[in-house]
Amino acid sequence: VIQNVPDIIRRHQTGDATAGPGISRAYLPVVRGLALAGTLDPARAAEVAGRALGRLLGRAGEARDAKRLLALAEEITREEVRLDLKGTGGRRAYLLTLADSAAARTAGPGIRLPEVMAGLPAEKTSWMLLEAASFLPTHSQALFLLHYLEGLGYPEIADLAGVSSREVGAAIAAARRLYERELDLYLRKISKP
Amino acid sequence: VICNQAKELFQPLADGQLMERERKDLEGHLATCESCRTETARTKANVDFLRDHLSSLRDLVKVDPEALTKAARASAPPVAAPPPRKDDAPKRGVALAVAYLLLVVAAGTAVWAFVLRPRWAAESRQAATVPTPVPPGSTAATPPTPGPGAQPPPPGPRPGPKDPRPVPTVAGPAQMLSALLARPGQPALTSLWAALAKAPDQVENILTLTGAERDESRRALLVLALAGSNGQPRVRETLLSLLGSDGSVKVRGAAAAGLASAPEGAAVAVPGFAGLTVRVSPIEDVEVRGRLLSAAEGEREPSVVALLVRLLASSRRLDPAVDARLTQLLESEDEEVRTAALEASRLHPPKDPEAILALIRDDRIPENDRAALIQRLFEADEEGAVDRVAELAAGSTSEALTTAALGALATPKRAPGRGVETAASLLRGNATAGVKGAALQVLAAAGRRDASVLPLLEEIASGDPDEAIRERARSLADTLSTAPVPEDPPDQPGVEQPVDRD
């Protein structure tokens, strides 16, 4: 449960040591979601998230409000994911295997995910869907994952992002539309000779 | 509510985040608008699907935010105070300068009175200090002590027992090993290797500790500590014996990575250690490669096998025994091993046509590699390759594979017979537009060398359901009908004739 992010930031900036756990708890979902989508590996994601949270706590004083702290969390996690992928030689690709599946043939405008992914094992489907999140820009990806991966509601995300719930809804809708369009384009691309 | 307003509410409705009043308004609109109803249903289906599948991955990542906070607090610099306001800056600056001056004077007096003066007096009475001997095997736990010939430190400002400043220390291999064991990670490992390079005699201590350690995780870290010194024969022998041992996956993985560890090279993950990588360079020593191959054959843990395969494949040339083993591992039940074998085969393509064919059929092979492998198939066995590639084109359910195979057949330098037959069967069947396009390329390459091509093009130009294909077939037929017939045309349609323009 995320509680009063602006207050946590204010306390952290005034040197209140008790604010650290609050920041960790509040920004863990962002960092964890981006780390998992970036590495597609739970163990590596835990490492990346750990390092990113540690760095975020060290630099949290740079952010004056929730919006900037979220941007900082996104930037640090993206950087840690990049370093991890560089160090470990990349990540496993799940979407590539869609080339021979029904997905490539049933894709089209107004994509219907249950139909596109029909017949694929549930676990593989989950990883494919997560991998496709990398089609999104980092901020859209963060909001998208906060909602669908981490299960946060609009008000909680609004608190973290320093915007209104309505703006969160609009941003998630835009991210989902972009996600569907990019996935559709990808499927068409791989189904072409 | 009109359609444009309704569309903005589809997402919050599907997410269950809509206010009661908005929900009622939207439902009123949906009752009368068919297209919005369809779009709402699609959005809901996608949103539910995304939530169900993505949320199942959430709990896989184990991160304890409390522990992280404690660790970060212990290691991070203190939080910077908020910047001073501009109007207060001059006054605050003067006050700070005065306070700083007073603090420096007070601290200097205190240090002189309570630390330097008594210590200087004591040291002038004492000729030398007697060092404490280091018990064997205790290297990891105790910091290095000065040797018997060490000089006492010169008099000067040193932190006393009540001095709050941190004590500056120069970390040696022992402290670094302690740090690595306490908090395994890349920086600790790299620093330890650098320290051991300057103090190679300490490697013996780590070898002793490795032999005595019973905790497998700590033992694996000790093995990794040795990796930076793998040029020493004793270290290499220890790593080789641990590789084939019945130790834990971590120990065997660390030994494998340790054998190939180098300052420069590709980074590989150490099995059993999440996020820990070492740089490895090719192992060119034939004996060591033989031991690695034996270990790969006896190894059960897929992540260690995969690492060994990568190490073996990284050398410039592949031994025949390794080549044979890689071909077997392409069929492994474990995906990680198969992937490693596949990468190795991409670096060192097999020579056996059947092994090449197996690689071509693997759907993880990138398109460029696949085309190169088909080319290699022709190089390995030109005559047999035409039949094999034609079978690939006709029998594959993968459009990418079919088009790649047709692309290889679409060349004037190959006899047209099998290629034209395959293209004809695909053009008459329910192939996709992409495959039919590639099949037409085969016919274009065969040209007038095969008498069946022109009638077939006429047939496609008039009967194919796809207008674009009909047009392409018509255009090709027009071009071919005006092209000169080769000097030595086939005697009978459909019978394969060798191409000999001389």
Side-chain angles (χ1 to χ4, degrees):
Chain A
V1 177
I2 296 169
Q3 290 174 341
N4 203 350
V5 173
D7 180 57
I8 295 171
I9 294 173
R10 187 186 52 72
R11 286 195 288 119
H12 185 73
Q13 283 177 336
T14 54
D16 182 349
T18 61
I23 288 187
S24 287
R25 271 196 301 276
Y27 287 86
L28 173 64
V30 183
V31 168
R32 180 171 54 191
L34 288 175
L36 189 60
T39 58
L40 297 178
D41 181 314
R44 277 162 59 191
E47 293 275 329
V48 167
R51 283 196 294 271
L53 270 182
R55 280 179 61 190
L56 181 66
L57 282 172
R59 290 181 57 189
E62 295 173 20
R64 276 178 289 171
D65 53 31
K67 195 182 266 185
R68 287 183 179 84
L69 192 52
L70 178 63
L72 187 62
E74 290 166 3
E75 180 198 322
I76 289 174
T77 315
R78 191 179 55 198
E79 173 71 9
E80 285 295 337
V81 166
R82 194 183 62 77
L83 289 173
D84 178 80
L85 295 183
K86 198 175 167 191
T88 52
R91 62 181 192 174
R92 176 177 293 184
Y94 291 88
L95 274 171
L96 286 180
T97 56
L98 271 178
D100 289 332
S101 79
R105 289 186 287 276
T106 56
I111 192 169
R112 284 173 183 273
L113 294 175
E115 289 173 21
V116 164
M117 303 286 176
L120 294 171
E123 194 190 343
K124 197 169 187 175
T125 304
S126 300
W127 286 111
M128 281 179 179
L129 290 172
L130 186 61
E131 188 182 5
S134 59
F135 292 143
L136 299 174
T138 308
H139 183 60
S140 299
Q141 196 185 132
L143 298 184
F144 182 84
L145 294 173
L146 277 172
H147 188 55
Y148 292 117
L149 178 73
E150 297 289 341
L152 266 59
Y154 290 1
E156 290 167 305
I157 299 174
D159 203 8
L160 264 185
V163 294
S164 68
S165 291
R166 187 171 283 275
E167 284 173 280
V168 169
I172 288 176
R176 182 186 53 78
R177 282 196 295 270
L178 180 61
Y179 177 91
E180 289 171 2
R181 193 165 64 237
E182 291 295 323
L183 185 60
D184 175 37
L185 282 175
Y186 174 81
L187 294 174
R188 285 160 185 252
K189 192 174 146 196
I190 61 169
S191 63
K192 274 186 184 169
Chain B
V1 176
I2 57 172
C3 288
N4 279 345
Q5 291 170 324
K7 277 176 188 164
E8 288 179 12
L9 302 177
F10 292 168
Q11 179 77 33
L13 178 74
D15 284 333
Q17 307 273 334
L18 211 54
M19 308 274 280
E20 184 60 26
R21 188 179 56 77
E22 288 174 319
R23 194 176 59 78
K24 280 187 179 163
D25 288 347
L26 180 60
E27 281 171 356
H29 173 74
L30 292 178
T32 59
C33 181
E34 170 78 31
S35 66
C36 282
R37 224 170 25 244
T38 311
E39 187 54 22
T40 313
R42 191 185 74 83
T43 305
K44 179 89 170 69
N46 283 356
V47 160
D48 288 348
F49 193 77
L50 278 169
R51 187 180 296 110
D52 289 349
H53 282 87
L54 290 179
S55 63
S56 68
L57 301 174
R58 178 177 58 224
D59 295 332
L60 296 177
V61 185
K62 309 286 182 205
V63 182
D64 179 2
E66 313 299 330
L68 274 173
T69 311
K70 279 180 194 163
R73 202 182 295 156
S75 62
V79 178
R85 287 209 306 262
K86 278 183 183 173
D87 52 345
D88 285 350
K91 284 181 199 169
R92 195 174 295 208
V94 172
L96 276 175
V98 171
Y100 180 73
L101 203 61
L102 287 173
L103 193 67
V104 167
V105 171
T109 311
V111 167
W112 170 252
F114 297 109
V115 181
L116 296 182
R117 202 172 162 190
R119 207 169 271 192
W120 221 342
E123 279 170 3
S124 65
R125 286 193 299 273
Q126 199 172 359
T129 53
V130 180
T132 312
V134 182
S138 65
T139 324
T142 55
T145 40
Q151 294 296 315
R158 284 187 299 182
K162 291 180 183 173
D163 193 334
R165 287 177 300 171
V167 180
T169 54
V170 180
Q175 285 92 338
M176 288 182 183
L177 183 62
S178 300
L180 176 70
L181 293 172
R183 205 172 169 185
Q186 204 76 52
L189 192 57
T190 313
S191 307
L192 174 59
W193 288 345
L196 282 173
K198 289 178 189 162
D201 54 315
Q202 295 286 321
V203 172
E204 279 297 322
N205 285 334
I206 299 180
L207 278 169
T208 311
L209 287 172
T210 309
E213 183 60 60
R214 289 288 163 260
D215 180 280
E216 289 292 295
S217 287
R218 287 171 64 86
R219 195 169 182 217
L221 285 168
L222 289 164
V223 171
L224 280 177
L226 290 168
S229 314
N230 60 8
Q232 294 188 25
R234 274 205 62 196
V235 171
R236 193 186 311 167
E237 196 46 51
T238 303
L239 295 177
L240 281 168
S241 63
L242 286 170
L243 185 58
S245 72
D246 55 358
S248 68
V249 171
K250 280 185 171 180
V251 170
R252 298 199 305 274
L259 276 166
S261 168
E264 297 292 329
V268 296
V270 182
F273 287 96
L276 195 60
T277 59
V278 294
R279 295 199 172 278
V280 293
S281 66
I283 297 176
E284 302 298 350
D285 185 315
V286 177
E287 191 196 334
V288 175
R289 292 170 55 74
R291 301 271 292 267
L292 285 182
L293 180 62
S294 305
E297 282 170 345
E299 180 62 55
R300 296 254 175 252
E301 169 59 33
S303 59
V304 181
V305 177
L307 174 59
L308 289 168
V309 166
R310 287 195 177 100
L311 297 180
L312 285 166
S314 66
S315 72
R316 284 190 296 276
R317 63 180 286 279
L318 211 59
D319 313 314
V322 176
D323 192 14
R325 181 71 184 141
L326 285 182
T327 307
Q328 289 171 6
L329 290 176
L330 281 170
E331 305 295 321
S332 165
E333 288 176 5
D334 185 83
E335 191 173 348
E336 193 175 359
V337 174
R338 275 202 315 276
T339 305
L342 194 69
E343 284 166 9
S345 298
R346 285 175 61 193
L347 289 173
H348 304 278
K351 295 179 181 63
D352 174 37
E354 287 305 320
I356 301 174
L357 210 54
L359 269 181
I360 294 170
R361 286 197 180 107
D362 198 308
D363 58 10
R364 291 166 299 170
I365 285 282
E367 292 307 308
N368 288 344
D369 286 16
R370 184 174 275 155
L373 283 166
I374 291 176
Q375 187 57 37
R376 195 174 176 82
L377 196 60
F378 278 105
E379 285 164 14
D381 175 20
E382 173 74 34
E383 282 184 27
V386 174
D387 284 344
R388 285 192 174 98
V389 174
E391 278 168 25
L392 266 184
S396 170
T397 53
S398 157
E399 186 176 333
L401 179 52
T402 306
T403 48
L406 287 171
L409 293 172
T411 168
K413 70 179 179 187
R414 298 212 162 96
R418 272 308 297 275
V420 171
E421 275 175 33
T422 308
S425 100
L426 290 167
L427 282 165
R428 286 175 180 138
N430 293 324
T432 61
V435 168
K436 285 187 176 179
L440 286 175
Q441 291 295 323
V442 175
L443 298 187
R448 300 297 296 271
R449 290 185 294 144
D450 190 318
S452 66
V453 168
L454 214 45
L456 177 60
L457 284 171
E458 297 287 354
E459 178 190 330
I460 302 301
S462 58
D464 195 89
D466 187 331
E467 191 184 341
I469 296 295
R470 284 203 305 275
E471 273 181 24
R472 283 180 69 181
R474 165 61 50 211
S475 160
L476 194 54
D478 290 347
T479 311
L480 285 187
S481 61
T482 58
V485 179
E487 285 176 15
D488 189 11
D491 295 327
Q492 291 172 359
V495 176
E496 197 172 299
Q497 295 293 318
V499 180
D500 188 1
R501 292 188 183 276
D502 297 326

